[in-house]
Amino acid sequence: MREIIYKSTRGESKEILSAEAIVAGIAGDGGLYVPHAFPRLEVTRELAALTYQELAARILRLYFTDFQAEEISAAVAKAYDRKFDHQDIAPLKTYNGIHFLELFHGPTLAFKDMALAILPHLLKAALKKTGKEREAVILTATSGDTGKAALEGFAGVEGTKIIVFFPEHGVSRVQKRQMVTQWGDNTYVIGIEGNFDDAQRGVKAMFTDEALRRALEAKGYVFSSANSINIGRLIPQIVYYYWAYLQLLGRGEIACGENVNIAVPTGNFGNILAAYYALQMGLPVNRLLCASNSNKVLFDFFATGIYDSNREFYVTMSPSMDILISSNLERLLYHACGEDTRQVKEWMAALQNRGHYRVTREVRENMRVFAGGYAGEEETSATIRNLFAETGYLIDPHTAVAYAVLQKYRRETKDGTPTVVAATASPYKFPGDVLGSIDPGYREKDEFTLFAKMGELLGEEIPKAVQSLQTRPVRHKTVCRKDDMRRVVENILQI
Ligand SMILES: *Cc1c(COP(=O)(O)O)cnc(C)c1O
């Protein structure tokens, strides 16, 4: 098997193996780690017989070539176990002839669990491998969802601690409850009197504080992050695109080698980039539909070749896509411009300094497998309402954006290629907006009332993760001023 080496998209960091890249997260030059080549994996009927876990191990081994096969299998087994409430891990459901890949059966009911369930185990093995047998301290600021997914991923993982700061008054009631009831002796959840930006700034300041870093090292700790640019989060996301394809093959919905389209509700560009990586490995893909909400910076980029973050920011009912700077796009640019790191650096500098950059016609040509689309709030609501009326299937607002974009794409292009939609969150995660789309009367209701209502409408038991929210004890009660974040961390780690 060929060894895969990781390089920075900006070309000024040394080339390393995957364990080191997972520990580092971001490259020293500010770039993102990318594999020097794409391993191949042809779709076959044999592959279609694998379980999700077997397929995951197969794919991760191709990328993390410095790991032992047993290390990978062990990480996979710990990640994709009973904490997912479906034995397929990512079941594929078909409604109106469209295949919904449900990525929300993990503990936090959203797709970030797919990667954050395994990252802690990869990180732990990577630390050992790189000779840094230190305890990893994960520091995160969250506006809600990512922090909870990271907490669930790291809870109880030996050799790690996770400290999450959230804006005390800047998350929903359900999100707050999810976090303050977090289990695990190695988890710490702290509300701050400030907004998300304050929390983010405080965490960044700690990451770059040399004195603090030295104090940590003296105590046997190392700071690490769990954010979405870590290659240890990106690669596990490739798995479910193969999985979806192989399910379709196994069910006789497609022939071996037949192309599919994939529609992805996109924010930071991590999820859809994983689909692009799958395509580079040999997954038969015709188009990748990049779906945005009203924050349609990516739609404009694919339409014009100009990335322009200088624009109005909209708060929508698909908050995980309310993003104007999609960090993982840097990786696509790197691959599409012939790995010209000088060029990538220039674009990223322009983005930072002026808020915009323009790519050449050739680069656009190399990205033509992507089709952009967007859906506004009204369209998103109507999509939820109509699909439910037609099929009884309820989708969350993020998934609805992708489905709305897909319908428009199909009308405009007449492209009837079999299509997989990445369903990124459970409707239970956004009960007010989902039920409110069906009947505006629900918008005013308490979220806990709505969970029950949703279960009733769907004729099913509500997910365990939701059921236990009301009864689980509050374990985390610390609230601090935004200037005290560092002191809180020092207290926790006793440094
Ligand atoms: C994070 C998230 C997205 C966006 O995914 P990216 O990888 O950031 O593009 C979409 N939907 C949900 C529910 C999410 O949590």
Side-chain angles (χ1 to χ4, degrees), residues 83-102:
K83 66 172 103 32
F84 285 80
D85 71 6
H86 197 289
Q87 64 172 19
D88 282 356
I89 306 300
L92 191 69
K93 308 228 173 122
T94 303
Y95 294 95
N96 275 355
I98 299 301
H99 310 292
F100 292 86
L101 176 61
E102 294 188 348

PDB file of all heavy atoms in Angstrom, residues 83-102:
ATOM      1  N   LYS A  83     -23.694   3.967  20.305  1.00  0.00           N
ATOM      2  CA  LYS A  83     -24.097   5.364  20.495  1.00  0.00           C
ATOM      3  C   LYS A  83     -24.864   5.871  19.276  1.00  0.00           C
ATOM      4  O   LYS A  83     -25.520   6.898  19.327  1.00  0.00           O
ATOM      5  CB  LYS A  83     -22.902   6.260  20.838  1.00  0.00           C
ATOM      6  CG  LYS A  83     -21.861   6.430  19.759  1.00  0.00           C
ATOM      7  CD  LYS A  83     -20.838   7.487  20.151  1.00  0.00           C
ATOM      8  CE  LYS A  83     -19.489   7.030  20.627  1.00  0.00           C
ATOM      9  NZ  LYS A  83     -18.895   5.815  20.108  1.00  0.00           N
ATOM     10  N   PHE A  84     -24.778   5.128  18.166  1.00  0.00           N
ATOM     11  CA  PHE A  84     -25.634   5.428  17.013  1.00  0.00           C
ATOM     12  C   PHE A  84     -26.903   4.598  17.150  1.00  0.00           C
ATOM     13  O   PHE A  84     -26.833   3.415  17.505  1.00  0.00           O
ATOM     14  CB  PHE A  84     -24.894   5.106  15.705  1.00  0.00           C
ATOM     15  CG  PHE A  84     -23.845   6.135  15.379  1.00  0.00           C
ATOM     16  CD1 PHE A  84     -22.607   6.106  16.002  1.00  0.00           C
ATOM     17  CD2 PHE A  84     -24.104   7.156  14.477  1.00  0.00           C
ATOM     18  CE1 PHE A  84     -21.642   7.068  15.733  1.00  0.00           C
ATOM     19  CE2 PHE A  84     -23.149   8.132  14.196  1.00  0.00           C
ATOM     20  CZ  PHE A  84     -21.915   8.082  14.823  1.00  0.00           C
ATOM     21  N   ASP A  85     -28.041   5.208  16.891  1.00  0.00           N
ATOM     22  CA  ASP A  85     -29.284   4.493  17.180  1.00  0.00           C
ATOM     23  C   ASP A  85     -29.813   3.724  15.973  1.00  0.00           C
ATOM     24  O   ASP A  85     -30.978   3.333  15.938  1.00  0.00           O
ATOM     25  CB  ASP A  85     -30.339   5.437  17.771  1.00  0.00           C
ATOM     26  CG  ASP A  85     -30.900   6.427  16.745  1.00  0.00           C
ATOM     27  OD1 ASP A  85     -30.557   6.322  15.551  1.00  0.00           O
ATOM     28  OD2 ASP A  85     -31.685   7.299  17.140  1.00  0.00           O
ATOM     29  N   HIS A  86     -28.958   3.520  14.966  1.00  0.00           N
ATOM     30  CA  HIS A  86     -29.355   2.699  13.829  1.00  0.00           C
ATOM     31  C   HIS A  86     -28.182   1.795  13.462  1.00  0.00           C
ATOM     32  O   HIS A  86     -27.043   2.259  13.424  1.00  0.00           O
ATOM     33  CB  HIS A  86     -29.731   3.585  12.646  1.00  0.00           C
ATOM     34  CG  HIS A  86     -30.523   2.864  11.595  1.00  0.00           C
ATOM     35  ND1 HIS A  86     -29.960   1.918  10.779  1.00  0.00           N
ATOM     36  CD2 HIS A  86     -31.821   2.956  11.234  1.00  0.00           C
ATOM     37  CE1 HIS A  86     -30.892   1.446   9.956  1.00  0.00           C
ATOM     38  NE2 HIS A  86     -32.035   2.061  10.212  1.00  0.00           N
ATOM     39  N   GLN A  87     -28.450   0.526  13.196  1.00  0.00           N
ATOM     40  CA  GLN A  87     -27.326  -0.389  12.978  1.00  0.00           C
ATOM     41  C   GLN A  87     -26.571  -0.102  11.686  1.00  0.00           C
ATOM     42  O   GLN A  87     -25.409  -0.478  11.544  1.00  0.00           O
ATOM     43  CB  GLN A  87     -27.787  -1.837  13.012  1.00  0.00           C
ATOM     44  CG  GLN A  87     -28.749  -2.182  11.883  1.00  0.00           C
ATOM     45  CD  GLN A  87     -29.038  -3.679  11.848  1.00  0.00           C
ATOM     46  OE1 GLN A  87     -28.814  -4.369  12.832  1.00  0.00           O
ATOM     47  NE2 GLN A  87     -29.512  -4.161  10.712  1.00  0.00           N
ATOM     48  N   ASP A  88     -27.207   0.583  10.747  1.00  0.00           N
ATOM     49  CA  ASP A  88     -26.513   0.980   9.523  1.00  0.00           C
ATOM     50  C   ASP A  88     -25.605   2.191   9.736  1.00  0.00           C
ATOM     51  O   ASP A  88     -24.942   2.622   8.799  1.00  0.00           O
ATOM     52  CB  ASP A  88     -27.527   1.345   8.427  1.00  0.00           C
ATOM     53  CG  ASP A  88     -28.121   0.100   7.773  1.00  0.00           C
ATOM     54  OD1 ASP A  88     -27.685  -1.008   8.122  1.00  0.00           O
ATOM     55  OD2 ASP A  88     -29.018   0.264   6.925  1.00  0.00           O
ATOM     56  N   ILE A  89     -25.633   2.781  10.915  1.00  0.00           N
ATOM     57  CA  ILE A  89     -24.902   4.013  11.252  1.00  0.00           C
ATOM     58  C   ILE A  89     -25.428   5.196  10.422  1.00  0.00           C
ATOM     59  O   ILE A  89     -25.829   6.210  10.971  1.00  0.00           O
ATOM     60  CB  ILE A  89     -23.359   3.851  11.094  1.00  0.00           C
ATOM     61  CG1 ILE A  89     -22.859   2.644  11.901  1.00  0.00           C
ATOM     62  CG2 ILE A  89     -22.635   5.139  11.524  1.00  0.00           C
ATOM     63  CD1 ILE A  89     -23.101   2.694  13.378  1.00  0.00           C
ATOM     64  N   ALA A  90     -25.405   5.044   9.099  1.00  0.00           N
ATOM     65  CA  ALA A  90     -25.950   6.096   8.228  1.00  0.00           C
ATOM     66  C   ALA A  90     -26.942   5.460   7.256  1.00  0.00           C
ATOM     67  O   ALA A  90     -26.605   5.148   6.120  1.00  0.00           O
ATOM     68  CB  ALA A  90     -24.822   6.781   7.464  1.00  0.00           C
ATOM     69  N   PRO A  91     -28.184   5.272   7.708  1.00  0.00           N
ATOM     70  CA  PRO A  91     -29.170   4.602   6.841  1.00  0.00           C
ATOM     71  C   PRO A  91     -29.557   5.479   5.644  1.00  0.00           C
ATOM     72  O   PRO A  91     -29.529   6.702   5.727  1.00  0.00           O
ATOM     73  CB  PRO A  91     -30.374   4.401   7.765  1.00  0.00           C
ATOM     74  CG  PRO A  91     -30.196   5.358   8.894  1.00  0.00           C
ATOM     75  CD  PRO A  91     -28.729   5.587   9.043  1.00  0.00           C
ATOM     76  N   LEU A  92     -29.873   4.802   4.554  1.00  0.00           N
ATOM     77  CA  LEU A  92     -30.273   5.491   3.324  1.00  0.00           C
ATOM     78  C   LEU A  92     -31.760   5.259   3.118  1.00  0.00           C
ATOM     79  O   LEU A  92     -32.213   4.119   3.067  1.00  0.00           O
ATOM     80  CB  LEU A  92     -29.479   4.902   2.156  1.00  0.00           C
ATOM     81  CG  LEU A  92     -29.550   5.632   0.821  1.00  0.00           C
ATOM     82  CD1 LEU A  92     -28.825   6.976   0.902  1.00  0.00           C
ATOM     83  CD2 LEU A  92     -28.925   4.780  -0.280  1.00  0.00           C
ATOM     84  N   LYS A  93     -32.528   6.357   3.036  1.00  0.00           N
ATOM     85  CA  LYS A  93     -33.985   6.223   2.904  1.00  0.00           C
ATOM     86  C   LYS A  93     -34.440   6.904   1.621  1.00  0.00           C
ATOM     87  O   LYS A  93     -33.964   7.992   1.302  1.00  0.00           O
ATOM     88  CB  LYS A  93     -34.676   6.883   4.097  1.00  0.00           C
ATOM     89  CG  LYS A  93     -34.132   6.396   5.431  1.00  0.00           C
ATOM     90  CD  LYS A  93     -35.228   6.008   6.388  1.00  0.00           C
ATOM     91  CE  LYS A  93     -34.643   5.375   7.635  1.00  0.00           C
ATOM     92  NZ  LYS A  93     -35.029   6.096   8.852  1.00  0.00           N
ATOM     93  N   THR A  94     -35.367   6.281   0.933  1.00  0.00           N
ATOM     94  CA  THR A  94     -35.785   6.809  -0.365  1.00  0.00           C
ATOM     95  C   THR A  94     -37.212   7.347  -0.307  1.00  0.00           C
ATOM     96  O   THR A  94     -38.131   6.632   0.117  1.00  0.00           O
ATOM     97  CB  THR A  94     -35.685   5.689  -1.427  1.00  0.00           C
ATOM     98  OG1 THR A  94     -34.331   5.211  -1.428  1.00  0.00           O
ATOM     99  CG2 THR A  94     -36.023   6.222  -2.815  1.00  0.00           C
ATOM    100  N   TYR A  95     -37.380   8.616  -0.682  1.00  0.00           N
ATOM    101  CA  TYR A  95     -38.706   9.238  -0.790  1.00  0.00           C
ATOM    102  C   TYR A  95     -38.745  10.058  -2.066  1.00  0.00           C
ATOM    103  O   TYR A  95     -37.767  10.731  -2.397  1.00  0.00           O
ATOM    104  CB  TYR A  95     -38.980  10.157   0.411  1.00  0.00           C
ATOM    105  CG  TYR A  95     -39.084   9.393   1.715  1.00  0.00           C
ATOM    106  CD1 TYR A  95     -37.978   9.264   2.532  1.00  0.00           C
ATOM    107  CD2 TYR A  95     -40.284   8.782   2.089  1.00  0.00           C
ATOM    108  CE1 TYR A  95     -38.061   8.544   3.717  1.00  0.00           C
ATOM    109  CE2 TYR A  95     -40.375   8.062   3.268  1.00  0.00           C
ATOM    110  CZ  TYR A  95     -39.263   7.945   4.076  1.00  0.00           C
ATOM    111  OH  TYR A  95     -39.329   7.232   5.243  1.00  0.00           O
ATOM    112  N   ASN A  96     -39.861  10.003  -2.765  1.00  0.00           N
ATOM    113  CA  ASN A  96     -39.994  10.724  -4.035  1.00  0.00           C
ATOM    114  C   ASN A  96     -38.850  10.389  -4.996  1.00  0.00           C
ATOM    115  O   ASN A  96     -38.424  11.227  -5.779  1.00  0.00           O
ATOM    116  CB  ASN A  96     -39.998  12.244  -3.812  1.00  0.00           C
ATOM    117  CG  ASN A  96     -41.392  12.764  -3.466  1.00  0.00           C
ATOM    118  OD1 ASN A  96     -42.357  11.998  -3.486  1.00  0.00           O
ATOM    119  ND2 ASN A  96     -41.494  14.046  -3.171  1.00  0.00           N
ATOM    120  N   GLY A  97     -38.322   9.164  -4.903  1.00  0.00           N
ATOM    121  CA  GLY A  97     -37.248   8.762  -5.821  1.00  0.00           C
ATOM    122  C   GLY A  97     -35.890   9.342  -5.480  1.00  0.00           C
ATOM    123  O   GLY A  97     -34.922   9.144  -6.220  1.00  0.00           O
ATOM    124  N   ILE A  98     -35.786  10.063  -4.369  1.00  0.00           N
ATOM    125  CA  ILE A  98     -34.507  10.657  -3.959  1.00  0.00           C
ATOM    126  C   ILE A  98     -34.012   9.912  -2.724  1.00  0.00           C
ATOM    127  O   ILE A  98     -34.794   9.562  -1.838  1.00  0.00           O
ATOM    128  CB  ILE A  98     -34.682  12.162  -3.638  1.00  0.00           C
ATOM    129  CG1 ILE A  98     -35.175  12.916  -4.881  1.00  0.00           C
ATOM    130  CG2 ILE A  98     -33.391  12.776  -3.109  1.00  0.00           C
ATOM    131  CD1 ILE A  98     -34.259  12.833  -6.085  1.00  0.00           C
ATOM    132  N   HIS A  99     -32.707   9.692  -2.673  1.00  0.00           N
ATOM    133  CA  HIS A  99     -32.131   8.892  -1.591  1.00  0.00           C
ATOM    134  C   HIS A  99     -31.538   9.802  -0.522  1.00  0.00           C
ATOM    135  O   HIS A  99     -30.580  10.528  -0.783  1.00  0.00           O
ATOM    136  CB  HIS A  99     -31.068   7.962  -2.159  1.00  0.00           C
ATOM    137  CG  HIS A  99     -31.549   7.196  -3.352  1.00  0.00           C
ATOM    138  ND1 HIS A  99     -32.519   6.216  -3.273  1.00  0.00           N
ATOM    139  CD2 HIS A  99     -31.263   7.316  -4.668  1.00  0.00           C
ATOM    140  CE1 HIS A  99     -32.778   5.744  -4.484  1.00  0.00           C
ATOM    141  NE2 HIS A  99     -32.034   6.393  -5.346  1.00  0.00           N
ATOM    142  N   PHE A 100     -32.149   9.754   0.662  1.00  0.00           N
ATOM    143  CA  PHE A 100     -31.688  10.600   1.763  1.00  0.00           C
ATOM    144  C   PHE A 100     -30.718   9.805   2.632  1.00  0.00           C
ATOM    145  O   PHE A 100     -31.093   8.787   3.214  1.00  0.00           O
ATOM    146  CB  PHE A 100     -32.873  11.082   2.600  1.00  0.00           C
ATOM    147  CG  PHE A 100     -33.767  12.053   1.866  1.00  0.00           C
ATOM    148  CD1 PHE A 100     -34.793  11.591   1.038  1.00  0.00           C
ATOM    149  CD2 PHE A 100     -33.568  13.423   1.970  1.00  0.00           C
ATOM    150  CE1 PHE A 100     -35.610  12.479   0.341  1.00  0.00           C
ATOM    151  CE2 PHE A 100     -34.381  14.322   1.281  1.00  0.00           C
ATOM    152  CZ  PHE A 100     -35.403  13.854   0.465  1.00  0.00           C
ATOM    153  N   LEU A 101     -29.489  10.282   2.693  1.00  0.00           N
ATOM    154  CA  LEU A 101     -28.472   9.624   3.503  1.00  0.00           C
ATOM    155  C   LEU A 101     -28.522  10.249   4.892  1.00  0.00           C
ATOM    156  O   LEU A 101     -28.071  11.380   5.101  1.00  0.00           O
ATOM    157  CB  LEU A 101     -27.094   9.836   2.851  1.00  0.00           C
ATOM    158  CG  LEU A 101     -25.880   9.306   3.604  1.00  0.00           C
ATOM    159  CD1 LEU A 101     -25.955   7.798   3.804  1.00  0.00           C
ATOM    160  CD2 LEU A 101     -24.590   9.694   2.877  1.00  0.00           C
ATOM    161  N   GLU A 102     -29.092   9.521   5.844  1.00  0.00           N
ATOM    162  CA  GLU A 102     -29.314  10.089   7.180  1.00  0.00           C
ATOM    163  C   GLU A 102     -28.038  10.036   8.024  1.00  0.00           C
ATOM    164  O   GLU A 102     -27.651   8.982   8.532  1.00  0.00           O
ATOM    165  CB  GLU A 102     -30.461   9.347   7.880  1.00  0.00           C
ATOM    166  CG  GLU A 102     -31.796   9.568   7.170  1.00  0.00           C
ATOM    167  CD  GLU A 102     -32.994   9.010   7.935  1.00  0.00           C
ATOM    168  OE1 GLU A 102     -32.795   8.243   8.907  1.00  0.00           O
ATOM    169  OE2 GLU A 102     -34.139   9.349   7.552  1.00  0.00           O
TER     170      GLU A 102
END
